[in-house]
Amino acid sequence: ERQATLAEVARRPAEQAMGQKRDEAESRAAAAEVAAQSAKMTAEKQVAELRRQEAEAETAKQRAQEKTEVAQQIAREEEQARLRAAEAEAIAETARQQVQTEQGVER
């Protein structure tokens, strides 16, 4: 019985040390899990921010494309107006020459 008591007394510090090491390991595992969860949330926020920025960039790209198309349309219309003005000027010049010719014939 005395040996059993001595063995029990000798076993207690070892069991306590094992229990303490197990508690420390569990504590480290819990801390690692919290850190991993935090890192995951940070990564998710970063992904969401990048997606938001990507959407903004796409919207800006579309607006720029629309403005470019409008500017090209305006340039085409201005060129057509210049051509019509030149054509009108040519018609007016022809009419002036005909009037001068007719006035010359009358004289």
Side-chain angles (χ1 to χ4, degrees), residues 21-83:
K21 289 199 184 282
R22 183 181 59 245
D23 291 347
E24 290 172 358
E26 288 173 355
S27 176
R28 284 193 300 274
E33 189 174 331
V34 167
Q37 202 58 20
S38 175
K40 180 182 175 187
M41 289 173 60
T42 299
E44 288 171 348
K45 285 179 185 176
Q46 290 173 340
V47 167
E49 177 62 17
L50 288 173
R51 286 190 177 139
R52 184 190 66 75
Q53 290 175 356
E54 187 178 53
E56 281 182 3
E58 184 61 30
T59 300
K61 178 182 170 186
Q62 289 174 352
R63 283 189 194 129
Q65 179 65 31
E66 290 168 2
K67 287 180 181 181
T68 298
E69 290 170 3
V70 168
Q72 290 171 343
Q73 180 62 31
I74 290 170
R76 284 191 295 271
E77 290 172 2
E78 287 175 345
E79 182 59 25
Q80 289 173 352
R82 278 192 290 277
L83 292 173

Side-chain angles (χ1 to χ4, degrees), residues 85-101:
E87 187 178 333
E89 182 62 34
I91 291 170
E93 182 59 30
T94 301
R96 278 193 292 275
Q97 289 175 0
Q98 285 178 345
V99 167
Q100 287 176 351
T101 303

